[in-house]
Amino acid sequence: MNKVFDYLKETHAPLVLDIDGVLSSYNYGEYCAHHEMDRPGALVTALCGLYTKVAKPIPVIQKFIKENYVDTGNIGKVYCLSQEPHGLEEEKRWFVRQYYDIPYENCYFVTAANDKIKVLEKIKLLFNSVEKPVYIDDNASILRDVEEC
């Protein structure tokens, strides 16, 4: 992973990040909500401000983005791509803006994980072929699909 971060530090390449499990911890709150919405009480937690009151940023990633994208004027090259089937897009946008300074318009959401590939293709088109986006996700099957395209 250090090789990836060194590359990003040197080039300020476009960066696309998943939210759950990358920009926020995978399980949080009393009910380990949002990833297991069928758990008793999880939906209640989600509806009571999961991203505005419960979720917390990952300090090391927060620092990296600040030093290498915010402070260098390159925050417009940072994107979020998150699976969100529960209608929490606005809370997630607030979360990444509040803790990472990522612009609202740089947040993309899909209802199914396999739709992430289509959005990544759209993001790639925003940049010339020299600037290939780096994608960071905690879902190995998505990363394998990205590698194949």
Side-chain angles (χ1 to χ4, degrees), residues 3 8 10 16 18 30-31 35 41 50-51 62 71-72 77 79 86 91 94 96 105-106 108 123-124 129 136 146 148:
K3 199 172 192 178
L8 290 168
E10 292 170 17
V16 183
D18 180 37
E30 183 180 353
Y31 300 105
H35 308 283
L50 180 61
Y51 293 94
Q62 195 175 26
D71 293 350
T72 62
K77 294 169 106 178
Y79 295 82
H86 306 292
E91 279 200 26
W94 179 89
V96 298
E105 62 271 13
N106 286 16
Y108 293 88
I123 293 171
K124 278 172 50 176
S129 59
I136 300 175
V146 169
E148 291 173 6

Side-chain angles (χ1 to χ4, degrees), residues 11-91:
T11 65
H12 305 291
L15 177 59
V16 183
L17 301 147
D18 180 37
I19 296 175
D20 300 301
V22 175
L23 294 178
S24 69
S25 66
Y26 185 75
N27 284 323
Y28 32 73
E30 183 180 353
Y31 300 105
C32 298
H34 150 231
H35 308 283
E36 299 175 7
M37 290 297 249
D38 57 342
R39 244 186 202 187
L43 186 57
V44 172
T45 301
L47 296 175
C48 294
L50 180 61
Y51 293 94
T52 58
K53 298 177 184 170
V54 181
K56 300 293 181 230
I58 306 298
V60 68
I61 296 176
Q62 195 175 26
K63 181 179 185 231
F64 180 85
I65 291 173
K66 181 179 181 334
E67 291 175 355
N68 296 284
Y69 286 90
V70 175
D71 293 350
T72 62
N74 288 297
I75 193 61
K77 294 169 106 178
V78 179
Y79 295 82
C80 293
L81 176 53
S82 182
Q83 181 179 353
E84 183 46 64
H86 306 292
L88 299 174
E89 295 88 355
E90 290 309 310
E91 279 200 26

